[in-house]
Amino acid sequence: MRTMLIAVLLLCASQLTQAATIHFNAGGSSQLTLSPSFYMDNTEASGLTNSGYASVSSATGGPYIAYNGNAAPLTTFDWNSPGTFDLNSFVIAGAWGSQTLTISGYSGAVLTNTAQLFVDTAASVFQANWLGLTSFSIATGNDFLRASNVIGNGQHWHSTPLV
């Protein structure tokens, strides 16, 4: 009986530690609201050769990716469910070049975590492991450099979070 109880507890613990990938659709996500909200179809993104759009699209496999439309300098992801969420990681890239982003996590109005992340057009994973959030934000920096092998320009980034 004791062995069975331990097995059940281990199974429950492993289920609780499983992270869910938040996939976006044309209207966003039922779990997170992005403000301002912009989503690109992965089919369209994959056609933007050498861009960060294509690399995040390829790395995530979801139907849409989130991005900061019009190169918005600050974008916020708000949790839509009761309670809090844990931000484990997310895949992100700069669309047209490299730049430093500031990632911030909040519990209510209180800043609980912050980090700077350098991105370029290659998809990379930001490993946060931040607990008890109600929102997080991504802010662009002042060090944008356009890649010479892309067709677009601007401080855009693309992401899919894992919570």
Side-chain angles (χ1 to χ4, degrees):
M1 179 70 173
R2 185 175 176 183
T3 304
M4 182 186 277
L5 178 60
I6 290 171
V8 169
L9 289 174
L10 287 174
L11 177 63
C12 289
S14 70
Q15 293 298 319
L16 290 174
T17 60
Q18 297 287 326
T21 301
I22 303 295
H23 287 292
F24 297 108
N25 58 40
S29 159
S30 61
Q31 294 103 340
L32 293 170
T33 298
L34 176 61
S35 178
S37 63
F38 292 92
Y39 307 96
M40 180 180 286
D41 183 309
N42 268 350
T43 305
E44 180 185 356
S46 64
L48 297 171
T49 308
N50 298 325
S51 73
Y53 290 106
S55 66
V56 169
S57 171
S58 176
T60 61
Y64 284 77
I65 54 175
Y67 69 100
N68 64 329
N70 303 318
L74 179 67
T75 304
T76 303
F77 295 78
D78 290 307
W79 187 239
N80 291 331
S81 300
T84 62
F85 70 99
D86 298 336
L87 179 62
N88 295 304
S89 61
F90 53 84
V91 177
I92 192 164
W96 312 120
S98 63
Q99 64 183 308
T100 301
L101 303 173
T102 300
I103 319 298
S104 302
Y106 298 87
S107 180
V110 177
L111 175 65
T112 58
N113 304 91
T114 190
Q116 290 201 322
L117 175 67
F118 180 80
V119 296
D120 58 21
T121 57
S124 62
V125 175
F126 173 67
Q127 195 69 42
N129 296 321
W130 295 347
L131 309 176
L133 302 180
T134 56
S135 67
F136 72 97
S137 66
I138 302 174
T140 59
N142 296 320
D143 60 347
F144 171 74
L145 289 174
R146 184 181 173 276
S148 61
N149 64 341
V150 296
I151 58 171
N153 193 22
Q155 289 186 265
H156 300 89
W157 51 258
H158 324 288
S159 176
T160 297
L162 183 65
V163 300

